[in-house]
Amino acid sequence: MSAAREVRADFDRASIVVYQAYADAIADVAVAQQKFGPPFSLGRMTWIKPSFLWLMERSNWGRKSGQERTLAVRIKRTGWEEALAGAVLTSYEPQVHGSQDAWRKAFDAAPVIVQWDPERTLRGAGLPHDSIQVGLSRAIIQRFVDEWTVSITDLTPLVTKLRKHLDDGRADQATRLLPKEAVYPVPPEIARRLGM
């Protein structure tokens, strides 16, 4: 565990924003209904990320096939913390899990998995602190869709504008338009579970 682990996010007292990238078919329904619906699948894992720049790195600024649309999904903090409280890291860490066997058993049964990856700069370079990616399994996706989601905003126009600023060498202007993210206060018992 070399890098510092932090959850940085756009959040308020009741909710937190997580980002996802989808194809038009899923995004159109989600934005129109303010809720995920078919063709969104409740049967496969969905990943949510509170770091906007990490998603930009992942989706190549909305240029990857099937990830053209960037959605900001505002969910209840109670749901977010419930997900983290049930999460197991994607790889074994002795100080968190004790034994490889204990980790494997927990991982196989986990409704939520978490992995840490280096946070990204505007230009995609790795930073010295890690950003959280949270994978929701079929066991919990229905809660995410029906109970946790507060609103869904299409940030694709913003992504297009940011990409143009970057392509034109105006990184400072792009930086000013980025969603504001601050360090999220993860409860101590959850932080231990996530190797923070």
Side-chain angles (χ1 to χ4, degrees):
M1 201 167 59
S2 51
R5 291 173 170 177
E6 293 175 333
V7 174
R8 293 186 179 201
D10 170 0
F11 63 94
D12 57 27
R13 285 217 319 264
S15 64
I16 179 172
V17 175
V18 293
Y19 300 100
Q20 295 186 289
Y22 286 112
D24 288 337
I26 290 177
D28 286 341
V29 171
V31 173
Q33 299 181 352
Q34 287 296 292
K35 177 181 171 166
F36 287 103
F40 176 86
S41 170
L42 294 169
R44 50 183 296 231
M45 181 162 280
T46 191
W47 287 86
I48 56 177
K49 307 163 181 72
S51 164
F52 178 78
L53 286 176
W54 204 91
L55 183 65
M56 291 303 94
E57 166 69 13
R58 187 97 185 110
S59 70
N60 191 17
W61 291 87
R63 283 184 283 231
K64 264 195 195 151
S65 174
Q67 299 184 30
E68 297 86 358
R69 301 277 291 281
T70 301
L71 302 183
V73 184
R74 188 172 281 281
I75 65 172
K76 294 175 181 164
R77 277 177 68 164
T78 50
W80 169 251
E81 291 187 10
E82 182 187 323
L84 295 186
V88 174
L89 294 170
T90 52
S91 54
Y92 167 66
E93 293 184 9
Q95 71 280 19
V96 177
H97 307 113
S99 74
Q100 191 103 31
D101 198 45
W103 166 74
R104 171 53 65 193
K105 282 198 180 84
F107 182 79
D108 289 344
V112 178
I113 59 174
V114 158
Q115 84 183 32
W116 293 96
D117 296 289
E119 179 59 286
R120 299 292 171 170
T121 66
L122 201 54
R123 296 269 181 212
L127 285 168
H129 61 272
D130 282 349
S131 179
I132 196 170
Q133 332 303 325
V134 179
L136 306 177
S137 76
R138 292 189 302 224
I140 207 164
I141 288 175
Q142 193 87 51
R143 308 274 310 280
F144 168 68
V145 170
D146 291 337
E147 297 169 34
W148 301 350
T149 301
V150 177
S151 66
I152 301 175
T153 308
D154 189 353
L155 292 189
T156 311
L158 172 66
V159 171
T160 305
K161 187 185 280 188
L162 288 167
R163 208 167 58 204
K164 179 147 179 40
H165 279 323
L166 285 176
D167 291 347
D168 295 344
R170 294 192 299 263
D172 51 337
Q173 272 162 287
T175 301
R176 284 200 289 276
L177 294 174
L178 290 175
K180 298 284 175 262
E181 291 171 11
V183 177
Y184 183 93
V186 177
E189 65 280 7
I190 295 178
R192 277 196 297 279
R193 189 179 183 96
L194 302 179
M196 296 175 73

